[in-house]
Amino acid sequence: MRHLANNSYIVIMIFVTIIVTGCFSQKQYKETRFMMDTIVEVTAYGPNSEQAVKAAFNEFQRIHDLANSFDEESTISNINKSAGIKPVNADPEIIYMIKRANSMSDKLDGVFDVTIGSLSHLWGIGKKGEYVPALGEVSAILQKVNYQLIEINETQNSVFLPKSGMMLDLGGIAKGYAVDKALEILKQNGITSALINAGGDVRVIGKKPDGQPWRIGVQHPRNSEGISAKLALTEWDTMETSGDYQRYLIKDGVRYSHILDPRTGYQPRQLASVTIVNNNSGDGDILSTAVFILGAERGIELLKQFPGNEAIIVTAEGKTIVTPGLEGRVELSVN
């Protein structure tokens, strides 16, 4: 247990520390697991808290099994292996995630693209060690990245990738979707006070047992012991974070993160992290990735097209930028 200043915060980081102060009459159950390539921590209060948390993790696992492109037996892998050959029957939830992502991609001029899977596998951040592909390899793979080519047949519940070698990667949307579904499970189990943090994707139910709002600390992307900003999160808010500090490699002094620009095949360099705070819009996970790729200036302009979405942006140089809608709600930290 670690205390920050004189208050208690939930720090969004790869190893999440949840700090609870005071003595509460409600039963607390907290569990942490490594899932979906990140640390997932669920804390719930109430007589049914343990059962509810375990059910929430079962839901995380279910979504992970559906969408994991590195699992040879998953639906996504079957779609990828059949690219250029035949359509594959897919769970309606997979089709929902693809359609939602593609709808957002249309609004983002392709800066978010779920057919980035071939690039993700080429780089293999966290999978291949210190592997940096050659320019020619990246250029060849870029020809297989185009979300507009995906063919969906909702009558037959099938998905077809028309080019051999095309691959889906739902990593930019599946985790946020899983968090939302897990939150529903907690509510179905009667939980009225809880917090889910899946590597910076945060949801809460109600307030803390002492009646205070959940206080959130956004991890400093270059200091695992520090935070960049603090704010109170209500039940009507969600948070989604994209950053270059969880899955990355450093080779010859250059940082290569798992976030790739589908237009270039390489990592964006301007920002270190982007946290989107919104009013349950459902778009925060995609928007955090899009802003991260576009950079601060263009990213902030982009958010004006999506009312209700605000951002806490940390640049590669360590500067923290807060969009106007969060002014007065965010306390910036000095690290």
Side-chain angles (χ1 to χ4, degrees):
M1 183 172 292
R2 180 166 60 89
H3 293 276
L4 302 173
N6 296 316
N7 298 304
S8 295
Y9 296 97
I10 296 88
V11 180
I12 300 175
M13 56 198 312
I14 187 64
F15 294 104
V16 180
T17 302
I18 293 192
I19 305 165
V20 182
T21 60
C23 297
F24 309 121
S25 59
Q26 295 190 52
K27 176 185 176 183
Q28 181 206 52
Y29 184 78
K30 178 174 68 175
E31 190 167 332
T32 303
R33 301 185 191 180
F34 185 83
M35 304 180 73
M36 306 186 87
D37 287 325
T38 193
I39 296 294
V40 179
E41 191 162 46
V42 181
T43 303
Y45 293 89
N48 197 35
S49 56
E50 181 174 355
Q51 177 182 329
V53 169
K54 291 188 179 301
F57 272 111
N58 288 340
E59 189 70 352
F60 267 107
Q61 189 65 53
R62 185 182 70 82
I63 302 301
H64 174 71
D65 291 343
L66 280 176
N68 182 10
S69 63
F70 286 92
D71 178 359
E72 291 294 321
E73 303 302 319
S74 72
T75 299
I76 290 298
S77 286
N78 288 335
I79 293 171
N80 292 343
K81 286 183 288 188
S82 298
I85 302 172
K86 64 180 180 179
V88 172
N89 289 333
D91 189 283
E93 288 179 288
I94 292 290
I95 292 176
Y96 165 80
M97 282 188 273
I98 295 172
K99 289 186 65 179
R100 178 186 150 215
N102 287 355
S103 175
M104 284 294 290
S105 295
D106 287 338
K107 301 173 185 176
L108 298 171
D109 295 326
V111 75
F112 183 88
D113 194 319
V114 292
T115 62
I116 202 169
S118 52
L119 277 171
S120 301
H121 280 251
L122 174 65
W123 281 91
I125 301 295
K127 310 287 183 180
K128 293 184 177 180
E130 295 185 357
Y131 175 74
V132 176
L135 177 61
E137 292 179 280
V138 174
S139 298
I141 290 294
L142 277 177
Q143 308 306 312
K144 302 172 184 179
V145 178
N146 187 346
Y147 73 94
Q148 294 177 324
L149 297 180
I150 303 172
E151 298 177 15
I152 296 175
N153 187 320
E154 291 189 80
T155 301
Q156 299 180 0
N157 282 333
S158 67
V159 178
F160 180 51
L161 303 178
K163 280 189 175 184
S164 177
M166 284 186 75
M167 297 179 71
L168 292 174
D169 181 350
L170 299 186
I173 187 172
K175 180 155 65 81
Y177 179 74
V179 173
D180 288 336
K181 299 295 286 186
L183 195 75
E184 291 178 12
I185 294 296
L186 292 178
K187 290 179 178 179
Q188 290 170 11
N189 279 269
I191 298 300
T192 58
S193 177
L195 178 139
I196 299 176
N197 186 351
D201 288 9
V202 180
R203 306 286 188 279
V204 302
I205 298 175
K207 298 180 179 180
K208 294 194 296 184
D210 63 355
Q212 296 298 310
W214 297 96
R215 299 277 291 173
I216 309 295
V218 180
Q219 184 191 342
H220 192 288
R222 296 294 180 267
N223 177 9
S224 62
E225 298 298 317
I227 55 180
S228 297
K230 311 165 189 175
L231 76 162
L233 198 64
T234 71
E235 188 170 9
W236 304 108
D237 293 324
T238 68
M239 293 180 67
E240 311 279 355
T241 299
S242 295
D244 66 0
Y245 58 95
Q246 291 191 359
R247 281 189 287 147
Y248 66 94
L249 66 87
I250 295 179
K251 187 173 183 181
D252 299 327
V254 179
R255 178 183 294 259
Y256 298 91
S257 80
H258 72 289
I259 301 175
L260 300 167
D261 186 335
R263 303 166 302 176
T264 67
Y266 286 91
Q267 294 80 0
R269 302 286 182 199
Q270 296 184 45
L271 305 180
S273 73
V274 174
T275 297
I276 298 292
V277 181
N278 59 36
N279 188 3
N280 285 331
S281 73
D283 298 329
D285 47 357
I286 295 175
L287 289 174
S288 66
T289 301
V291 173
F292 187 91
I293 291 171
L294 290 171
E297 184 176 348
R298 293 182 62 196
I300 291 171
E301 282 299 311
L302 169 74
L303 288 181
K304 293 178 181 178
Q305 303 174 34
F306 299 90
N309 288 277
E310 303 293 339
I312 301 168
I313 298 170
V314 182
T315 69
E317 294 76 28
K319 179 182 178 181
T320 302
I321 302 168
V322 177
T323 54
L326 289 178
E327 290 180 0
R329 290 185 57 189
V330 175
E331 176 187 346
L332 299 184
S333 302
V334 177
N335 292 282

